Amino acid sequence: MTTRNRLTRRRFMTTTAGAATVAGLGGLIRPAMAQEGAQLTPVGEMVTATAKEGPYRIAFSNGFSGNSWRAMAVAALEAEAAATPEIAEFVTVDGQGDINKQVNDIETLINQQFDAILVIANSGSAVAPILREATREGIVTAPFNLPVDGTDWSTYVGTDPSKKGGSLGAWLSDALGGTGKIVALGGLPGNSYTAAGWEGAQAAFADGIEVLAFRDAYWEEDRAKVIMADLIAAYPEIDGIWCDGAQVGAGAIKALLDAGRPLVPVTGDDYNGMLKLFDAERANHPGFDIGLMSEPTWQGIFAMRAAVSLLKGEEVPKQQILEPQLITADNYRDYIRPDLPDGVFTDTSLTDAQLREIFGA
């Protein structure tokens, strides 16, 4: 892969006019942050689809809407759809964390003959057959954020969760000097993102890392705090916490604070609440450390742009893989937003005004 094809968020989203135009993907979005954020890299072959006459009807099947990351992702999609003249209609349906409901939702969207369906899957295996059906019926299918099994979809934008989980596992292992007792907190039960990330993490742990417990925390801070309180009661020694989302990491750290326990190294993503918590507590807890990897809420925009391009008969990459940036004690100040709510994920395309509207701040 050449440097020219290796695209950072800044190169995508910044020009002298303050916005980005992506060749072949169209549309404009403006950056809210100055740091580079995740890198987006085309992988594999270029693909096309049969051109359709616009304007287009596009739907988004959201696996669930239970946290602020999803709220920001939906807001970014809505803003992009409103700014794209080729899109006549954009709707979102909520799977409510139910795998069967999401499959049924997508089947309904097929029957309603939407031109393109974007998806964040509750289960990459469960939605694969219905996306294959949609693709075979001439609907552009664009999963993003969470991978879908196989290749019977049109185009994908998102992280390689196994690689990301492995990087977080390696960081935590190093932070503990290769030895220690840890607990792990994931997302929704059966979710393919957490499953792949946790598998990658376990492969990266040093032999001296002992996993005490793994719990599903639904990517919710309050739920994670309760779960962590139970783990604290069960295990007198916890040296580190692996999480694939920093909102659950923040809940876990707050449980340690409430229990009067030392704060320990923790992993996660670019959740502002974790960044603010680290900034507030690091001086009081020398063992507290963070290894976070951004999970940008803007990735769905590029899935939408790819879908529109395919509907117009243009070539797009089969996959665009996000390569998150590592956020540590050395660079966290480039990401923290002390003036914005905890629920903000800071690698975002949304403006401060949009974020305050979402969070009522």
Side-chain angles (χ1 to χ4, degrees), residues 242-274:
W242 183 93
C243 305
D244 62 349
Q247 65 274 59
V248 298
I253 291 298
K254 289 179 180 179
L256 287 173
L257 283 170
D258 286 351
R261 296 271 287 265
L263 301 190
V264 298
V266 62
T267 69
D269 50 27
D270 54 311
Y271 178 67
N272 202 35
M274 173 59 81

Side-chain angles (χ1 to χ4, degrees), residues 162-320:
S162 178
K163 181 178 178 181
K164 180 178 178 180
S167 296
L168 293 175
W171 178 89
L172 182 59
S173 188
D174 288 344
L176 296 175
T179 183
K181 299 177 180 180
I182 72 163
V183 296
L185 302 176
L188 296 175
N191 184 270
S192 54
Y193 183 95
T194 292
W198 180 231
E199 183 178 356
Q202 292 176 93
F205 290 148
D207 292 341
I209 300 298
E210 179 184 352
V211 178
L212 300 173
F214 175 94
R215 297 287 186 272
D216 296 308
Y218 292 74
W219 295 313
E220 296 175 11
E221 181 176 324
D222 290 344
R223 188 187 293 251
K225 185 177 179 181
V226 172
I227 292 170
M228 187 65 184
D230 290 340
L231 293 173
I232 290 168
Y235 301 106
E237 180 184 350
I238 297 174
D239 302 310
I241 308 167
W242 183 93
C243 305
D244 62 349
Q247 65 274 59
V248 298
I253 291 298
K254 289 179 180 179
L256 287 173
L257 283 170
D258 286 351
R261 296 271 287 265
L263 301 190
V264 298
V266 62
T267 69
D269 50 27
D270 54 311
Y271 178 67
N272 202 35
M274 173 59 81
L275 296 168
K276 291 163 70 174
L277 188 57
F278 179 70
D279 191 58
E281 298 293 342
R282 61 180 307 201
N284 301 322
H285 295 269
F288 190 16
D289 202 359
I290 53 170
L292 314 175
M293 303 194 84
S294 63
E295 186 67 39
T297 57
W298 47 258
Q299 57 195 272
I301 291 174
F302 292 96
M304 179 176 282
R305 292 181 181 181
V308 170
S309 293
L310 286 172
L311 289 168
K312 293 163 66 176
E314 299 170 351
E315 281 192 335
V316 303
K318 179 69 172 179
Q319 298 184 71
Q320 297 179 74

Side-chain angles (χ1 to χ4, degrees), residues 60-82:
F60 169 43
S61 171
N62 191 9
F64 89 120
S65 56
N67 61 31
S68 58
W69 192 97
R70 296 296 177 105
M72 290 175 63
V74 170
L77 285 171
E78 290 174 344
E80 178 72 7

